[in-house]
Amino acid sequence: MRLFHALTSLGCCSALALLNAACGISILGYGAGNDGGGGGGGDHGTGTRSGPGTGGSAGAGAVEISDCEAGYNEISDGRGGVNVEQVCPLLVDRSVSLLAFTSAIYPLLRANCSSCHSTETRATAPLIADVDAKLAHEYALTRVNFKQPADSKLVVRMGVDRHACFGSDCMDANQQMLEAVQAWAAAVAPGLPETPRPVPMDEEISETDVTGWIEADRAGIPAADAEFIKYASLHELHNAGVSADELNVARVALSKALNSTARWAPEVANPADINGKGIVYRFDTRDYWGYNKGVTKLHFGGSDDDVFFGYTTVNYLGEPVGSDVTTKEKYSYTAEVERDPSFARLVWGRVLAGNVEGASTGEPLPPFVDGFKTDYIEASQLVFTLTRPDVYSAIMAIPWYAQDLEAELGVIKDEGMKSYEYMVTKEAHPIDSRMYWRARTTSGGYYWKTWDVWTGQLADGVTTIEEAYATGQIRFPFWAHPIPKFVSGTGGGVLAETFSFIATLAQPFNSTPPGCDPQPSYAGAQFSNCRYYTGTEGMQQSEEEVIWDLPNGLQGYALWGGFGQRRIDSMVNAVRDPRLHRGLTDAKLASEIGHTIPDRRQNVGSSCIGCHADGVSRGDNDLRDWLDRGGPLPAGERGVDRWIDDEQTVAQVRELYPPSSVMRPKMEDDRRGFLAAMAKIKRDMILGEDKNVYVEPAIWTIEWAQGFYRYPVTTSN
């Protein structure tokens, strides 16, 4: 089945299994995708090293805790380079683990996963099914939770992500994988160190305890700093009986959410445990938002739908919001970042307001801020609020149009369309294929941008994307038109020469471009969807996702719509998040086109942060690789037939689309910076020897908050 992957969460066998996954995808996308690619590689079977110059795997029979100085794990890709993984070498007896792995789970992996995840085939990371059992074991160690096997990435990739399932369906594959991991864990888990818990589980922490601890700590805060000092408490999680390891997850989530929304902060700053109990943490808002590039007012953070169709009429300050807000609100960024405590004050005021600018189909949403107290914020509430799509877009000062963000980030465009490195992945995160590119920025960083195309309506009797390809109804335009055509979009007279927005499938208003073959629009009679590529200006049936590296090493995220305008959520006819659609069949979730499932959307903020647990996700450049190898490029009128025999076009494709062997090491380098920043968080925030988390922390904590406060899951909440 199609490679479909979830948000960093979920499963189906335990509460925490419902909150795992850490979706990898074809580079971008918020919630599902292909944990594909690989990067670099070392000598076959040489095991792991924990960052440059740090140790390796334990010798036979030795129980070792790796120093993991770099905070992430580099494993040979079997082809002369390395793949970068966030889980450091585990605290296990390697010889015992390898023996149990080989007997309990390796045969299952070889039988069902080796067509991709082995150096003898595509060498798609992780190489969990490699022909070399020792190398496969090293990769599998990065995707197993020996204490809670149901939470293992190996398991949730089946039950939640629904990735390349075997057996009768994904639930069957999930159960087979769970039983295999449980057998492996039975041999290893007894030797694992216990995670400390400074406050015993059966000791309840009262509100009076929390406020008393805060009062004692606040007494030592200088008066000039007092307004910027805030407190977050994990006592509700503790009192609810979550495990010591789950408390570690929430601690990491707290710091990750703060630092992931620190738009211009130069380095990671972790909250401080105020009394050694691991419950109440102090943070200074200036550490995250005390840096600014000239922003004096935060723009409306809601959806463009709310603006253009009038669902929301006021912003978080109660000021009117009209359809002209996208042209009236334009950030004038300064050239350099400056220290600015007033920006921290501005951001915190927006955080306190909650997600009142969230997407709705009627009245504005309630703020959902039950966990904000007079003296502190309940920790899961803070993680939840910082990652709401409207809050995130506002406090990250995301402009209304993509080219404005690209200008602020210094995306390098001095070679025009040749400035970017293009990729096309057939089975990626979206319902259909994905085109995306990597650009460089003047800071030396990276900027990834995707193009996901609405599948739209097909002929009668064709209901899945597989049927569409089989019958020649290929909708993805970049198989037949691999040379991108840059068009204007909108946003203040922007020109095609800004190299920001490209033509996909048009969605015409009043006029129909030649070759469109119009279909009724989902939005009603006002628009029509083009079934086929026209290369024209105007509204496009696409949405774009962007990832860039923040100064502190983590990542920023943005979503853009059919005019290049900022959005806060992704339409379900382009991309879907299995986390939000757990009750659907495998085929309906991953293959059926259009709005065939409930309209619960992936959103900027939580979906992006949760999905990209490892930073940039991997993907293969199928268009280029298949061109070089001679197959299996989509053929026919809407496939590559129109250009495959044209030497000039083929040469241009090879110039614009580097092979996977070129792009994989760049992805690994991009991952490395992110994982180094995450390592700084985990070193300080995790209690105990094992500095790993085995679920994506932000999504685990967000979903805990939604359950605890009974906040509904809405269209894009």
Side-chain angles (χ1 to χ4, degrees):
M1 65 174 289
R2 289 178 60 77
L3 304 176
F4 218 84
H5 177 170
L7 232 175
T8 237
S9 47
L10 328 42
C12 53
C13 303
S14 76
L16 199 56
L18 291 176
L19 301 167
N20 194 11
C23 55
I25 57 207
S26 157
I27 273 315
L28 295 171
Y30 308 92
N34 170 11
D35 196 2
D43 293 334
H44 205 97
T46 54
T48 70
R49 55 191 177 93
S50 36
T54 66
S57 57
V63 177
E64 176 184 283
I65 175 170
S66 169
D67 56 6
C68 201
E69 184 176 328
Y72 53 82
N73 195 2
E74 295 189 356
I75 310 180
S76 163
D77 74 349
R79 297 187 174 186
V82 294
N83 291 318
V84 185
E85 305 291 348
Q86 74 159 317
V87 173
C88 291
L90 304 184
L91 318 177
V92 300
D93 184 320
R94 289 301 177 87
S95 61
V96 170
S97 177
L98 177 60
L99 181 62
F101 169 81
T102 304
S103 62
I105 191 172
Y106 185 56
L108 186 66
L109 295 171
R110 285 290 295 165
N112 296 289
C113 307
S114 60
S115 61
C116 291
H117 298 285
S118 176
T119 51
E120 65 193 321
T121 54
R122 295 182 64 183
T124 300
L127 299 175
I128 53 173
D130 195 69
V131 64
D132 183 332
K134 291 183 179 179
L135 185 60
H137 175 240
E138 294 298 335
Y139 277 96
L141 283 172
T142 71
R143 282 160 172 77
V144 62
N145 185 339
F146 287 124
K147 290 184 178 180
Q148 293 181 303
D151 303 335
S152 300
K153 186 70 177 294
L154 290 167
V155 178
V156 299
R157 281 293 269 167
M158 304 291 110
V160 180
D161 304 350
R162 310 190 199 191
H163 167 85
C165 297
F166 48 87
S168 59
D169 58 23
C170 286
M171 292 304 102
D172 179 26
N174 181 91
Q175 186 61 31
Q176 290 187 51
M177 192 66 75
L178 174 61
E179 291 173 1
V181 172
Q182 287 172 330
W184 180 18
V188 175
L192 296 176
E194 184 176 351
T195 302
R197 188 174 191 132
V199 181
M201 180 180 286
D202 59 359
E203 181 180 320
E204 184 168 339
I205 300 172
S206 69
E207 184 92 2
T208 302
D209 292 330
V210 172
T211 56
W213 297 340
I214 291 172
E215 184 179 354
D217 184 80
R218 189 176 280 138
I221 302 298
D225 299 330
E227 71 165 302
F228 301 105
I229 302 301
K230 311 298 177 185
Y231 296 88
S233 175
L234 285 80
H235 75 286
E236 296 285 15
L237 288 113
H238 168 87
N239 290 342
V242 304
S243 70
D245 292 299
E246 290 167 332
L247 283 173
N248 273 338
V249 168
R251 293 182 185 105
V252 172
L254 173 63
S255 184
K256 184 179 183 182
L258 287 165
N259 285 286
S260 293
T261 55
R263 178 75 150 84
W264 293 295
E267 59 186 2
V268 164
N270 288 314
D273 182 352
I274 66 172
N275 57 7
K277 296 181 182 295
I279 298 296
V280 178
Y281 286 80
R282 178 184 65 244
F283 60 95
D284 188 328
T285 58
R286 294 169 298 186
D287 289 341
Y288 311 100
W289 309 297
Y291 303 86
N292 194 10
K293 290 186 75 175
V295 176
T296 58
K297 180 180 180 180
L298 298 179
H299 292 176
F300 177 72
S303 170
D304 64 316
D305 286 346
D306 292 317
V307 170
F308 294 120
F309 299 108
Y311 298 147
T312 300
T313 57
V314 296
N315 64 15
Y316 81 103
L317 296 173
E319 300 169 340
V321 175
S323 59
D324 61 346
V325 68
T326 61
T327 55
K328 291 173 61 177
E329 290 188 340
K330 185 176 178 64
Y331 288 122
S332 298
Y333 301 108
T334 56
E336 303 294 332
V337 177
E338 297 181 350
R339 289 302 306 259
D340 182 8
S342 67
F343 188 61
R345 190 179 298 116
L346 183 66
V347 167
W348 191 246
R350 178 65 189 88
V351 172
L352 291 176
N355 64 328
V356 290
E357 295 175 345
S360 68
T361 56
E363 294 298 316
L365 293 175
F368 299 135
V369 290
D370 294 354
F372 281 86
K373 309 296 183 180
T374 302
D375 297 306
Y376 68 91
I377 310 95
E378 189 276 314
S380 74
Q381 171 72 78
L382 182 57
V383 175
F384 175 86
T385 301
L386 289 172
T387 58
R388 292 309 86 207
D390 61 311
V391 178
Y392 180 88
S393 291
I395 67 177
M396 289 289 282
I398 307 298
W400 275 108
Y401 294 101
Q403 69 274 2
D404 294 332
L405 177 66
E406 291 162 3
E408 188 266 313
L409 294 176
V411 174
I412 296 172
K413 306 181 180 185
D414 54 5
E415 295 185 71
M417 67 182 298
K418 296 181 181 179
S419 302
Y420 310 144
E421 295 169 301
Y422 299 85
M423 300 180 70
V424 166
T425 300
K426 184 176 189 295
E427 291 187 330
H429 168 47
I431 309 305
D432 208 327
S433 304
R434 162 169 283 174
M435 192 272 267
Y436 48 106
W437 69 65
R438 184 184 189 273
R440 296 170 295 121
T441 65
T442 52
S443 66
Y446 58 82
Y447 177 88
W448 288 93
K449 189 173 187 177
T450 73
W451 296 84
D452 296 333
V453 180
W454 295 8
T455 51
Q457 296 89 339
L458 297 174
D460 290 342
V462 176
T463 60
T464 70
I465 196 67
E466 289 85 0
E467 291 172 336
Y469 273 76
T471 56
Q473 298 188 62
I474 301 170
R475 300 293 309 286
F476 188 67
F478 301 107
W479 296 119
H481 303 275
I483 311 305
K485 180 177 180 180
F486 285 83
V487 294
S488 296
T490 58
V494 61
L495 302 175
E497 287 71 21
T498 59
F499 299 102
S500 177
F501 192 69
I502 57 177
T504 57
L505 301 174
Q507 189 177 19
F509 175 63
N510 289 335
S511 62
T512 301
C516 173
D517 189 7
Q519 303 285 297
S521 171
Y522 299 113
Q526 189 175 17
F527 295 98
S528 296
N529 287 334
C530 289
R531 292 184 68 203
Y532 301 119
Y533 180 82
T534 64
T536 58
E537 299 275 354
M539 188 172 183
Q540 306 293 310
Q541 290 163 225
S542 68
E543 54 191 49
E544 306 85 59
E545 296 85 33
V546 160
I547 287 179
W548 74 95
D549 56 329
L550 297 175
N552 64 17
L554 297 178
Q555 292 183 156
Y557 309 95
L559 289 173
W560 313 101
F563 277 131
Q565 83 282 20
R566 194 200 71 214
R567 288 194 56 82
I568 65 169
D569 50 29
S570 298
M571 297 294 188
V572 294
N573 59 342
V575 290
R576 296 166 187 168
D577 177 7
R579 180 181 65 94
L580 299 174
H581 304 286
R582 295 168 182 163
L584 298 182
T585 64
D586 302 338
K588 190 173 187 65
L589 175 66
S591 299
E592 289 197 15
I593 62 167
H595 286 278
T596 60
I597 64 174
D599 193 13
R600 290 181 176 176
R601 306 172 186 175
Q602 297 174 126
N603 59 73
V604 70
S606 63
S607 293
C608 311
I609 292 170
C611 179
H612 291 276
D614 296 336
V616 170
S617 303
R618 300 167 173 132
D620 285 335
N621 201 349
D622 290 335
L623 178 61
R624 173 61 187 271
D625 293 349
W626 294 350
L627 177 63
D628 290 347
R629 292 201 305 262
L633 288 162
E637 181 184 5
R638 308 297 172 182
V640 303
D641 290 19
R642 66 176 62 194
W643 62 266
I644 196 70
D645 295 321
D646 182 88
E647 292 183 2
Q648 184 176 355
T649 303
V650 169
Q652 194 172 5
V653 168
R654 287 201 166 103
E655 182 180 22
L656 295 175
Y657 292 82
S660 295
S661 59
V662 171
M663 297 307 296
R664 287 174 177 178
K666 295 186 179 185
M667 294 176 186
E668 298 305 318
D669 283 342
D670 293 346
R671 289 164 64 87
R672 187 176 283 108
F674 175 87
L675 294 179
M678 281 301 301
K680 295 177 183 178
I681 292 175
K682 292 188 288 186
R683 284 193 197 103
D684 284 355
M685 302 304 292
I686 290 178
L687 305 186
E689 298 173 290
D690 185 357
K691 299 298 183 180
N692 296 305
V693 289
Y694 302 97
V695 297
E696 198 291 315
I699 285 299
W700 186 92
T701 308
I702 289 164
E703 293 194 345
W704 193 93
Q706 284 186 307
F708 182 76
Y709 293 108
R710 294 182 171 84
Y711 296 153
V713 178
T714 60
T715 297
S716 62
N717 178 34

